Amino acid sequence: MRVPGGSGYSHAEATRGQERLITGNRQASWAFADAYAAEDEALRWARDRAREAGLRSVSPSTGAALRLLAATVDAKAVAEIGTGTGVSGIHLLHGMRPDGVLTTVDPEPEHQQSARQAFRACGFASNRARFIPGRALDVLPRLADAGYDLVFCDGDRLEFLDYLAESLRLLRPGGLVVFEGVFANGRTVDSGPQPTEVTRIRELLRAVRESQELVPSLLPVGDGLLCAVKR
């Protein structure tokens, strides 16, 4: 229906146009945020290795947020679930204290070898990172209670709730737990039928929001960053 004397567009057409404008603005804002987070040659090398291995790495804006969060809690000890080729680890190390140690867990030793090279290229001493190959749920129970300032979870989404339980044990009061990829490329908010991993993410979001032990926030960077401070 055309509006007499109007611009010639129906309300539905105008609404669709507004939605496209909002979506376009958001995409432009996300692109600007990624461009704002300048990355050096070592980070670009690590990203290239991730692409070659078929791995998903955190976006530049997500990496910048990780760097900021590590600096905010003055992190000396950080546990990372999912080493990949070292992209997120580089950002975490840059935000940590100069004497801080990153403990990073991954089931694929060859990925960790790429991360070692990337860390070395960034100028980090070898004692700044402890690489533990293995499945996260086998390794995490061996780590010290209340021994960590930040736990970053970027592993198997089907295990996110288990990571949460382990993180609550690993974190000191005032420490941060961070989950990457909780938007699942928009599927988390999609009302249609979803795979099990999206169901698990929704369960995680509810558990974190309802926990009396955590103060949460959901940051719209990259593919979604769920952050929570342990009381």
Side-chain angles (χ1 to χ4, degrees):
M1 173 182 176
R2 302 294 177 182
V3 180
S7 61
Y9 291 97
S10 69
H11 176 71
E13 289 171 326
T15 299
R16 283 194 295 272
Q18 185 179 38
E19 289 173 350
R20 284 193 293 270
L21 178 62
I22 291 170
T23 300
N25 286 341
R26 285 176 178 168
Q27 290 172 340
S29 296
W30 289 329
F32 181 79
D34 277 340
Y36 182 79
E39 294 191 333
D40 60 19
E41 185 176 345
L43 267 167
R44 291 192 293 271
W45 181 89
R47 285 193 183 282
D48 288 342
R49 300 295 79 74
R51 277 192 293 271
E52 290 170 2
L55 299 176
R56 179 179 55 86
S57 53
V58 300
S59 71
S61 57
T62 299
L66 292 175
R67 190 180 300 207
L68 174 69
L69 293 170
T72 299
V73 295
D74 195 26
K76 184 175 182 179
V78 172
E80 177 185 45
I81 302 169
T83 309
T85 56
V87 176
S88 53
I90 289 172
H91 282 290
L92 289 165
L93 283 165
H94 275 306
M96 294 168 64
R97 290 168 48 167
D99 60 343
V101 176
L102 173 69
T103 297
T104 183
V105 181
D106 199 287
E108 303 294 341
E110 63 269 24
H111 297 163
Q112 292 190 322
Q113 186 56 39
S114 294
R116 285 181 192 273
Q117 291 179 254
F119 292 176
R120 189 162 53 244
C122 282
F124 296 118
S126 59
N127 63 356
R128 292 290 312 279
R130 178 170 62 142
F131 294 89
I132 305 179
R135 182 171 170 265
L137 295 181
D138 294 332
V139 174
L140 296 177
R142 307 202 302 263
L143 303 184
D145 291 5
Y148 294 85
D149 305 299
L150 189 154
V151 179
F152 175 55
C153 305
D154 189 20
D156 187 344
R157 291 171 177 171
L158 294 175
E159 298 178 344
F160 268 10
L161 278 170
D162 299 306
Y163 298 163
L164 176 62
E166 287 293 335
S167 297
L168 288 173
R169 180 184 62 80
L170 293 173
L171 286 171
R172 63 166 176 79
L176 272 168
V177 60
V178 182
F179 291 86
E180 202 279 327
V182 295
F183 289 167
N185 295 317
R187 292 177 298 169
T188 303
V189 297
D190 193 325
S191 59
Q194 296 297 335
T196 304
E197 72 170 28
V198 175
T199 302
R200 292 286 187 273
I201 290 173
R202 290 171 176 168
E203 292 171 355
L204 170 75
L205 289 165
R206 282 193 296 270
V208 170
R209 184 177 58 191
E210 295 170 4
S211 173
Q212 298 302 306
E213 296 182 74
L214 297 169
V215 180
S217 180
L218 183 55
L219 305 184
V221 295
D223 197 24
L225 205 61
L226 176 63
C227 311
V229 177
K230 181 180 177 181
R231 293 184 186 274

